[in-house]
Amino acid sequence: MNSIGKIFVGLIATMSLILLSLFLVIYASHKNWKEVAAKKDDQIKAAKEETAKLTTMKQDLMKAIDTEYIAYQKQVAALKTKTDNLKIENEKLSSQEQMLQDEINKRTEIINDTNIVIDRFRDNVKMLTQSIAEAKEKRSDILEKLAIAVGQLHENATVLGDIQAKNNKLKADYNKAVSVLTIYGIDPQKELYTEKVQGVVEAIQEGSNGLVMISIGADNGLTPGQKLEVSRDNTYLGKIEVVTTKYNSAVCQILPQYRQGLIQEGDNVSTKF
């Protein structure tokens, strides 16, 4: 046997060993493929049923999702509408807030102005209170003086009553004297006074025929119509005639026909020069 034959024999032996090993492996791993196929069919059937269930669940879930999505869209639309309404309401409230703030600012200014006026009133009240207190003090002084004056007035009223009584008696005596003088042919208009009565000019009215006020009156025996002499430093100035009399003063008219000088305040007045 040549070398080629030996090689072929070696290859054949090797291939035989390989095939024998392969057969042994196949036999060791041999299964019942029919049972496996049946099991696979059952598994496929169960998978299909599970798939059908899952499909049904998926469809139900899709329907639920669609329903929830629609409800969600409705809620979103409602929320958007509510948001828009809230925005409008917010704008209104912002406008109202601005108006209220402006009103508050105006009222604050009014309050500040009012406080200023109140402070002024308080100052005025304080001043008035002080004035009232001062007025009360003055009133107390005045009431005191008034009480004194009332007392003096009562005293003067008593004196005046006495003087009026004396004046009435003097008038009656004067009328009797005038009647007696008239009976005996004596002019009663002529001066009958022998006692000299003196006074001064206290006030004078402008004009040549003006009036003067003198410091003597009814208590000195003066009567309306009586004529008096006016002088200054032994200088004769003229005559005045009594118009009205009071207790201690009289109003007289200047007689221009007897005027010999300008009569002034402080000039002497007497019943005889």
Side-chain angles (χ1 to χ4, degrees):
M1 182 178 291
N2 56 12
S3 57
I4 296 172
K6 290 179 181 180
I7 293 169
F8 277 115
V9 171
L11 289 171
I12 291 169
T14 304
M15 291 298 294
S16 297
L17 291 172
I18 291 171
L19 288 172
L20 180 61
S21 299
L22 181 61
F23 288 149
L24 289 172
V25 171
I26 290 171
Y27 181 78
S29 60
H30 176 70
K31 293 182 180 180
N32 189 352
W33 294 106
K34 186 176 181 180
E35 293 178 359
V36 172
K39 289 181 180 180
K40 292 293 183 184
D41 289 337
D42 293 336
Q43 290 177 355
I44 291 169
K45 184 178 179 181
K48 286 181 178 180
E49 291 177 356
E50 185 69 22
T51 301
K53 289 180 181 179
L54 291 173
T55 302
T56 304
M57 289 176 65
K58 179 183 176 183
Q59 291 175 353
D60 293 338
L61 286 173
M62 290 300 293
K63 288 180 181 180
I65 288 170
D66 291 338
T67 303
E68 288 182 359
Y69 180 72
I70 292 169
Y72 171 75
Q73 285 183 332
K74 289 181 180 180
Q75 289 179 356
V76 169
L79 288 173
K80 186 177 180 182
T81 303
K82 189 174 182 180
T83 301
D84 294 337
N85 292 333
L86 287 174
K87 284 182 180 179
I88 295 170
E89 187 68 23
N90 185 45
E91 290 176 357
K92 289 181 180 179
L93 289 174
S94 297
S95 178
Q96 291 178 358
E97 181 183 3
Q98 186 61 40
M99 292 174 64
L100 288 172
Q101 187 62 42
D102 294 339
E103 185 68 20
I104 288 170
N105 293 333
K106 289 180 181 178
R107 290 184 181 274
T108 301
E109 291 179 359
I110 293 171
I111 289 170
N112 291 332
D113 294 338
T114 304
N115 287 332
I116 292 172
V117 173
I118 288 171
D119 291 337
R120 290 178 182 172
F121 276 136
R122 284 176 179 169
D123 293 337
N124 290 334
V125 168
K126 187 176 180 181
M127 292 175 63
L128 287 172
T129 303
Q130 292 177 351
S131 300
I132 289 169
E134 292 174 359
K136 284 182 178 179
E137 290 181 3
K138 290 181 180 178
R139 181 173 173 270
S140 298
D141 294 338
I142 290 171
L143 288 174
E144 230 178 274
K145 292 178 181 178
L146 181 62
I148 295 170
V150 168
Q152 291 177 349
L153 181 63
H154 288 309
E155 292 178 2
N156 291 335
T158 303
V159 173
L160 181 61
D162 296 338
I163 291 171
Q164 285 178 345
K166 291 180 181 178
N167 188 39
N168 292 332
K169 186 176 183 302
L170 287 173
K171 283 182 179 179
D173 293 341
Y174 174 77
N175 291 330
K176 287 181 182 179
V178 168
S179 299
V180 172
L181 290 173
T182 303
I183 291 171
Y184 287 98
I186 299 173
D187 187 2
Q189 298 298 325
K190 292 183 178 180
E191 298 176 7
L192 301 177
Y193 296 91
T194 58
E195 182 180 356
K196 185 177 181 180
V197 178
Q198 291 182 334
V200 294
V201 176
E202 292 185 336
I204 184 167
Q205 184 180 359
E206 296 294 333
S208 58
N209 296 326
L211 300 175
V212 295
M213 180 179 286
I214 59 176
S215 62
I216 53 178
D219 61 332
N220 301 107
L222 296 185
T223 58
Q226 184 178 352
K227 296 179 179 59
L228 304 173
E229 310 288 345
V230 183
S231 62
R232 185 188 314 124
D233 297 331
N234 295 322
T235 300
Y236 182 77
L237 299 175
K239 279 189 178 185
I240 57 176
E241 183 178 352
V242 178
V243 178
T244 59
T245 61
K246 291 185 179 180
Y247 177 72
N248 57 357
S249 65
V251 176
C252 304
Q253 185 176 15
I254 299 173
L255 299 176
Q257 64 271 27
Y258 297 103
R259 188 183 182 90
Q260 295 186 15
L262 182 63
I263 298 175
Q264 299 177 354
E265 292 182 12
D267 289 342
N268 298 318
V269 178
S270 62
T271 53
K272 292 183 180 180
F273 177 63

